[in-house]
């Protein structure tokens, strides 16, 4: 199996890479940090099987070139996971946060489409496109808008809708589009949070469950399952009750401009 993963230098992407490598897959690993990617590759079983690509997913030309190189080297690509993502507390009333909102949307949403784009024609021409998977990493934060998270919640809600639309488009070819919405997973992104995170899950446990979901071709899944029930409840809450319950919820702190991603 040949698997291409963005955001592979840390967090969910790294955990997914380790899980696939343990199962014998050959990987294309894309991320911004050359040292972290090399260290990851060297630590995996049979490191010579894996390719690393140092690029920012917002550099669409570099992302496309990496995809084409992996396709050329692999012959067939079976799974593509758009795992790259960033999070930042934002407040719309601060004019300087508009640039942060744009960057979050570009990285979390637009880069997901840019990741899939070069692989779709190739997958459609493979002998068994029904064995192919395009995987979008969303978030429970995309189910309802959270306070202080205008950009992050909006970007992940958009990923959910984008992948749903893409799933319909890919149905005729047999390519499965899988949307995974993590709850709180123990990664560098969540380790900076100063508030309680219910059902916090280790990254390796998340990856193991995600691999089963991807293999099954499940259209949408929240991991862990407990957060799935929370997500179902959030979907049906009327606005007045949701606003009352969550208007004072803990929020990710707004970063000073020089620290923003």
């Amino acid at each position: 199996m040949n698997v291409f993963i963005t955001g592979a230098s840390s967090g969910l992407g790294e955990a997914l890479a380790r899980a696939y490598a343990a199962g014998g897959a050959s990987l294309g690993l894309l991320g911004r940090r050359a040292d972290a990617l090399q260290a990851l590759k060297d630590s995996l079983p049979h490191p010579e099987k894996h390719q690393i690509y140092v690029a920012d997913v917002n550099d669409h030309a570099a992302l496309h070139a990496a995809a084409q190189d992996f396709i050329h080297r692999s012959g067939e690509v079976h799974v593509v996971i758009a795992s790259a993502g960033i999070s930042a507390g934002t407040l719309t009333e601060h004019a300087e946060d508009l640039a942060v909102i744009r960057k979050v949307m570009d990285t979390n949403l637009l880069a997901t489409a840019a990741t899939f784009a070069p692989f779709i024609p190739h997958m459609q021409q493979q002998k068994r496109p029904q064995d192919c998977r395009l995987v979008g990493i969303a978030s429970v934060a995309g189910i309802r808008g959270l306070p202080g998270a205008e950009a992050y919640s909006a970007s992940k809600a958009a990923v959910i809708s984008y992948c749903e639309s893409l799933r319909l488009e890919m149905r005729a070819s047999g390519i499965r589009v899988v949307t995974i919405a993590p709850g709180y997973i123990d990664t560098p992104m969540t380790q900076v949070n100063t508030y309680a995170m219910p059902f916090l899950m280790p990254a390796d446990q998340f990856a193991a469950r995600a691999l089963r979901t991807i293999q099954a071709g499940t259209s949408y899944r929240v991991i862990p399952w407990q957060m799935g029930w929370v997500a179902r409840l959030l979907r049906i809450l009327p606005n007045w009750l949701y606003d009352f319950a969550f208007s004072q919820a803990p929020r990710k702190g707004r970063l000073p401009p020089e620290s923003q991603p």
Side-chain angles (χ1 to χ4, degrees):
M1 178 180 289
N2 300 314
V3 181
F4 187 87
I5 304 172
T6 67
S9 56
S10 67
L12 300 184
E14 178 185 352
L16 290 164
R18 293 189 182 281
Y20 269 110
S26 297
L27 307 179
L29 305 170
L30 185 140
R32 291 179 296 174
R33 295 184 291 132
D35 56 343
L37 286 176
Q38 188 63 55
L40 172 60
K41 176 181 175 178
D42 292 343
S43 71
L44 297 177
H46 306 289
E48 71 281 357
K49 294 174 57 175
H50 313 304
Q51 307 299 320
I52 60 174
Y53 302 96
V54 181
D56 189 317
V57 290
N58 291 311
D59 183 344
H60 297 166
L63 179 57
H64 184 86
Q68 292 299 323
D69 182 78
F70 189 65
I71 290 169
H72 175 74
R73 292 174 180 271
S74 303
E76 289 192 344
V77 178
H78 305 101
V79 179
V80 176
I81 305 177
S83 182
I86 58 174
S87 175
T90 53
L91 293 174
T92 303
E93 62 266 31
H94 293 277
E96 61 269 28
D97 281 16
L98 293 178
V100 183
I101 292 172
R102 177 186 292 276
K103 187 166 186 179
V104 171
M105 295 297 293
D106 284 350
T107 303
N108 294 358
L109 172 62
L110 186 58
T112 295
T115 298
F116 294 159
F119 289 101
I120 289 174
H122 174 71
M123 287 179 165
Q124 289 172 329
Q125 295 169 10
Q126 291 181 188
K127 291 181 180 180
R128 291 183 56 83
Q130 63 269 29
D131 292 337
C132 297
R133 307 285 188 264
L134 300 170
V135 184
I137 303 297
S139 172
V140 170
I143 304 300
R144 300 292 296 258
L146 298 176
E150 299 102 324
Y152 189 71
S153 286
S155 71
K156 293 303 186 178
V159 168
I160 293 170
S161 292
Y162 162 72
C163 287
E164 185 169 58
S165 181
L166 183 64
R167 187 174 75 239
L168 300 177
E169 294 295 332
M170 294 295 103
R171 184 177 174 85
S173 68
I175 297 170
R176 301 287 188 93
V177 178
V178 177
T179 306
I180 296 177
Y184 291 114
I185 311 300
D186 188 9
T187 67
M189 184 180 290
T190 59
Q191 286 164 5
V192 300
N193 294 340
T194 58
Y195 47 82
M197 293 178 283
F199 313 118
L200 181 67
M201 173 178 277
D204 59 342
Q205 292 183 22
F206 164 83
R209 287 161 175 76
L211 261 63
R212 291 196 291 269
T213 298
I214 294 166
Q215 179 61 32
T218 304
S219 60
Y220 175 87
R221 178 153 295 165
V222 177
I223 301 174
W225 65 266
Q226 295 95 329
M227 287 301 292
W229 286 105
V230 173
R232 290 184 179 93
L233 175 61
L234 292 179
R235 282 183 183 273
I236 64 174
L237 283 182
N239 285 351
W240 69 267
L241 182 55
Y242 178 78
D243 293 354
F244 175 78
F246 281 85
S247 61
Q248 299 303 316
R251 62 196 71 197
K252 186 181 291 288
R254 178 176 172 269
L255 301 176
E258 64 272 14
S259 299
Q260 292 170 340

